[in-house]
Amino acid sequence: MSTLENGSFSHSGLKRVALMAKPLGALLCATSLVVLAGCSGNVQTGTQPRELTTIDQTVKVEGMWSQGIGSLTRARYPITPAISGDTIYASDAEGNIKAINRNNGQIKWEKRLDTPISSGLTADSGQLFVGTRNGEVIVFSEDNGDIVWRSRVSSEVIAPPQLNSGQVVVQSVDGTLTALDRFTGDEQWLYASSQPALTLRGTGAPRTIDPVSFAGFANGRLAAFDNRSGQQLWDLRVAVPQGRTEVEQLVDLDGQPVLTQDGRLFVTSYNGRVMALDARNGQPLWDREQSSYHTPVLVGDYLFTVTADSHIMALDANNGRVIWNQDALEGRSLSAPVFVDNKLVVGDYQGYLHVIDAQSGEQEGRAHPGGDGISITPLTDGNHVFALTNDGELIAYALRDMDSPQ
């Protein structure tokens, strides 16, 4: 059920959507890894999955079209599709990329690479960026899939490459952060973090804007880097290893930091905390104990998180207070949420899509694409939801209120 916490909270905050990744102005001018769980970050926490119960469905999840992409393999590589204009770009784990019309599901072009893909896709300004299992970053033309350039980084790339106006910033599974020239692929700088012996099988994507990049690492630390030189501007420990075993001491920051126009940064950590801090200097604004390996979603004054045991929570972004806690999907290995039309949509390990009211936390709708589960975060174009199942079926959905005219 969804539990509303004590105290009132203005739902008007939900209407004010904060824009992310805008310049903040003048900011401050390897061991052999043992990995745990699947690449997509579906961590086995030991919490037994709850059985689904009948809900009062007020939202119809209506399928529009589907297109076979290809399997994510048993490793379930987090190959998140990308939307650009009227096109969705998607790939399977073997390197077969498709450009698909997002309105009708028709294929525009296909490209077969000579190397397997491991990262999510990033589309921007007519180009498509992706990382591979053998440690390459490859850039394609959105128009036809022709390769523009390819460049080698330190190791396998699972996190989608991140862009600013002149750089591609890539985080590899060995904890190395690399900045490449966006137009040539030439290396500009490199930072190697210290890695614990045991990590989650995943990598947090850095948050990159023109002046700086913010990156979280498997050692529980978050740092800011000057993009001109790679110099570290500040460094903060978000999660402290605890417990007797290496598994209990996992403190990975696998979620991408969320940045606001007013200079706040929100970050989650496994076996650690969810925090808000000042992006200019790394000073904490608030924090609360909460384990999560997913990227949070910020909408107005609401910060939505999915915990490691699959509770969906809404926090007051100003102070971290819990507004509601939806625990009916506990243990179901939920994906990170996507926000669309005042609703949250998540996938689960059995292949269900769940629609949650963003103001109350109540379950509003459900669909079952199947496909060996949904571990990748669903996408939205603002009106529709696109879900990629683990066995490679990309499905477009419309969310319709039951009582609204068709």
Side-chain angles (χ1 to χ4, degrees):
M1 63 178 293
S2 168
T3 304
L4 287 170
E5 301 296 318
N6 293 331
S8 62
F9 186 80
S10 170
H11 294 310
S12 63
L14 196 57
K15 308 296 185 182
R16 302 192 297 272
V17 179
L19 300 178
M20 299 183 297
K22 295 291 185 180
L24 297 177
L27 289 178
L28 295 175
C29 328
T31 60
S32 176
L33 299 182
V34 180
V35 292
L36 182 73
C39 296
S40 59
N42 279 346
V43 179
Q44 303 302 315
T45 63
T47 303
Q48 290 300 310
R50 291 194 177 181
E51 295 293 329
L52 296 180
T53 59
T54 302
I55 62 172
D56 181 15
Q57 190 154 313
T58 59
V59 173
K60 182 179 181 181
V61 187
E62 183 177 305
M64 299 169 55
W65 55 259
S66 67
Q67 181 63 250
I69 304 301
S71 175
L72 302 178
T73 76
R74 293 182 63 184
R76 296 185 180 178
Y77 282 94
I79 309 172
T80 309
I83 298 176
S84 179
D86 67 351
T87 306
I88 296 182
Y89 301 93
S91 176
D92 67 6
E94 301 307 314
N96 302 308
I97 302 176
K98 293 182 179 181
I100 303 164
N101 186 306
R102 68 176 173 86
N103 297 310
N104 57 29
Q106 297 298 310
I107 295 176
K108 294 184 174 184
W109 55 257
E110 298 182 58
K111 179 80 172 184
R112 181 181 293 272
L113 288 183
D114 58 359
T115 185
I117 282 178
S118 51
S119 85
L121 281 64
T122 302
D124 185 74
S125 302
Q127 293 184 328
L128 193 64
F129 300 77
V130 71
T132 73
R133 274 185 252 171
N134 65 0
E136 280 189 294
V137 176
I138 305 178
V139 184
F140 307 87
S141 167
E142 287 187 8
D143 293 335
N144 52 26
D146 288 347
I147 293 178
V148 179
W149 56 257
R150 57 201 301 171
S151 183
R152 182 78 59 180
V153 292
S154 62
S155 67
E156 180 183 31
V157 180
I158 292 179
Q162 300 299 301
L163 313 173
N164 59 34
S165 63
Q167 292 172 312
V168 183
V169 180
V170 182
Q171 194 160 344
S172 307
V173 296
D174 64 356
T176 300
L177 196 66
T178 306
L180 306 173
D181 185 285
R182 177 166 176 161
F183 306 103
T184 66
D186 294 338
E187 183 181 305
Q188 294 186 343
W189 55 261
L190 179 149
Y191 171 84
S193 69
S194 61
Q195 292 281 88
L198 189 69
T199 74
L200 298 182
R201 181 63 164 129
T203 308
R207 176 67 64 185
T208 298
I209 57 176
D210 275 345
V212 295
S213 290
F214 305 95
F217 300 98
N219 59 13
R221 306 195 74 89
L222 177 74
F225 299 88
D226 186 330
N227 281 335
R228 296 169 298 183
S229 62
Q231 178 184 358
Q232 191 177 94
L233 302 175
W234 55 257
D235 169 73
L236 173 71
R237 178 169 287 285
V238 175
V240 179
Q242 300 181 36
R244 295 182 177 181
T245 70
E246 288 183 322
V247 173
E248 291 173 328
Q249 294 175 10
L250 289 169
V251 289
D252 297 53
L253 273 63
D254 273 4
Q256 185 179 33
V258 173
L259 178 65
T260 68
Q261 273 187 304
D262 63 1
R264 289 175 297 161
L265 201 64
F266 297 90
V267 62
T268 59
S269 56
Y270 188 67
N271 285 337
R273 299 177 286 177
V274 55
M275 293 185 67
L277 52 124
D278 189 325
R280 298 171 180 84
N281 53 29
Q283 291 300 308
L285 302 174
W286 58 258
D287 66 82
R288 59 173 289 111
E289 296 296 320
Q290 181 177 304
S291 177
S292 176
Y293 49 87
H294 287 310
T295 300
V297 173
L298 179 67
V299 184
D301 294 327
Y302 278 49
L303 184 72
F304 300 104
T305 64
V306 172
T307 67
D309 56 4
S310 291
H311 288 208
I312 307 170
M313 302 181 71
L315 307 179
D316 185 334
N318 297 304
N319 54 34
R321 182 179 62 84
V322 177
I323 301 166
W324 54 256
N325 176 17
Q326 173 58 264
D327 62 1
L329 305 176
E330 183 179 82
R332 296 189 64 85
S333 296
L334 298 182
S335 71
V338 65
F339 179 87
V340 55
D341 192 24
N342 234 22
K343 301 170 180 61
L344 298 173
V345 180
V346 297
D348 77 13
Y349 80 108
Q350 286 186 322
Y352 284 90
L353 277 179
H354 304 274
V355 181
I356 309 296
D357 181 85
Q359 291 187 349
S360 67
E362 296 297 332
Q363 298 183 77
E364 290 193 318
R366 183 185 295 161
H368 189 217
D372 193 30
I374 300 172
S375 56
I376 287 178
T377 309
L379 279 79
T380 182
D381 59 4
N383 298 303
H384 306 99
V385 173
F386 304 91
L388 179 64
T389 65
N390 290 337
D391 63 1
E393 193 73 15
L394 180 64
I395 310 172
Y397 290 95
L399 305 184
R400 306 192 191 280
D401 292 333
M402 291 290 201
D403 56 0
S404 65
Q406 297 297 313

